[in-house]
Structure formats: structure tokens, C-alpha cells
């Protein structure tokens, strides 16, 4: 049984940093491309970034480029999202997801999802 579990998010102030992690079990982690998504209230879920099996990184959202860093530790079956210079508009539920074929900004095709973790940035 595959399980994908995100770390607890939190409430931070604008300008602060936060690191999210996501641990997967029940699958061969290093065979999967891993993505981070977020969904703000009243908005559609959007793809932030993806890291391929080989560590190649793609950032999809212009507003997070240079502030967010996606990484993975295959030995620990863990995906990370380091977020810095956080802004109130980064407030959202954050999700990690796994897919086998290729990285994509679209949520469709990601087979395994975490339950989501709330990040709230106060001004």
C-alpha cells in the first residue's frame, strides 16, 4: 500500500522561510518523478515544481522561481520544498505527488498524492 505523507506546514510571517517534506512508502521512490502543488481557497490547484528521477528540477510557477527549491533524498524516500521569502499570497494547501512517466505541471497523471499540509503566511 502506497502512502505519501507531508510534514506539518505552519503559520509564518512574510519574509520567513519554511521547509516542507514529503515521505513516500510502498513504492520504489527513486523510480518516480515527484511534484509539489498548492491550492489556495477558491482557486484551482497549481503545479509549483517537479524533480525527476535523476534530480533534474523544473519550476513551473514564475512567482516561486528563485524563492522555492525542490529537492529529494532517495535514500530517505523523501521530497523537500524549501520556501524562502514567503509572501501572503503563498498561503495555500500544499501537496506532494508522484508520477512514473515524466514531470508535468498538470495534476493529471500524478498517481499518488499526499493529504496536503496548510501553509499560512501572515503580513
Amino acid at each position: 500500500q502506497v502512502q505519501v505523507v507531508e510534514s506539518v506546514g505552519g503559520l509564518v510571517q512574510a519574509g520567513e522561510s519554511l521547509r516542507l517534506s514529503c515521505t513516500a512508502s510502498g513504492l520504489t521512490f527513486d523510480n518516480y518523478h515527484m511534484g509539489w502543488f498548492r491550492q489556495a481557497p477558491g482557486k484551482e490547484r497549481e503545479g509549483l515544481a517537479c524533480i525527476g528521477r535523476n534530480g533534474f528540477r523544473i519550476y513551473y510557477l514564475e512567482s516561486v522561481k528563485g524563492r522555492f527549491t525542490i529537492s529529494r533524498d532517495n535514500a530517505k524516500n523523501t521530497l523537500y520544498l524549501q520556501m524562502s521569502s514567503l509572501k501572503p499570497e503563498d498561503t495555500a494547501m500544499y501537496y506532494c505527488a508522484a508520477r512514473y512517466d515524466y514531470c508535468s505541471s498538470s495534476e493529471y497523471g500524478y498517481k499518488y498524492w499526499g493529504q496536503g499540509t496548510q501553509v499560512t503566511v501572515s503580513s
Side-chain angles (χ1 to χ4, degrees), residues 11-36:
L11 171 64
V12 297
Q13 293 192 336
E16 292 185 341
S17 298
L18 186 66
R19 188 177 79 161
L20 302 180
S21 62
C22 164
T23 301
S25 60
L27 53 75
T28 304
F29 183 78
D30 51 5
N31 282 352
Y32 285 80
H33 306 284
M34 301 296 298
W36 282 103

Side-chain angles (χ1 to χ4, degrees), residues 23-69:
T23 301
S25 60
L27 53 75
T28 304
F29 183 78
D30 51 5
N31 282 352
Y32 285 80
H33 306 284
M34 301 296 298
W36 282 103
F37 293 78
R38 71 184 183 188
Q39 187 169 20
K43 295 188 176 181
E44 292 186 353
R45 187 151 54 184
E46 55 187 0
L48 302 179
C50 181
I51 184 166
R53 299 187 193 108
N54 60 1
F56 182 75
R57 299 177 175 89
I58 306 173
Y59 295 93
Y60 298 114
L61 201 60
E62 196 65 34
S63 63
V64 307
K65 290 179 181 178
R67 297 191 299 122
F68 289 12
T69 301

Side-chain angles (χ1 to χ4, degrees), residues 1-5 23-29 77:
Q1 181 181 358
V2 176
Q3 286 191 315
V4 180
V5 181
T23 301
S25 60
L27 53 75
T28 304
F29 183 78
N77 283 12

Side-chain angles (χ1 to χ4, degrees), residues 78-121:
T78 300
L79 175 73
Y80 300 99
L81 185 68
Q82 177 68 47
M83 304 183 290
S84 61
S85 302
L86 282 161
K87 305 175 181 180
E89 50 264 43
D90 294 318
T91 295
M93 187 73 78
Y94 284 71
Y95 300 87
C96 66
R99 65 183 292 165
Y100 188 78
D101 45 4
Y102 53 83
C103 272
S104 173
S105 61
S106 171
E107 62 182 303
Y108 300 105
Y110 284 84
K111 185 173 183 179
Y112 302 112
W113 288 83
Q115 79 285 357
T117 188
Q118 179 67 39
V119 173
T120 302
V121 184

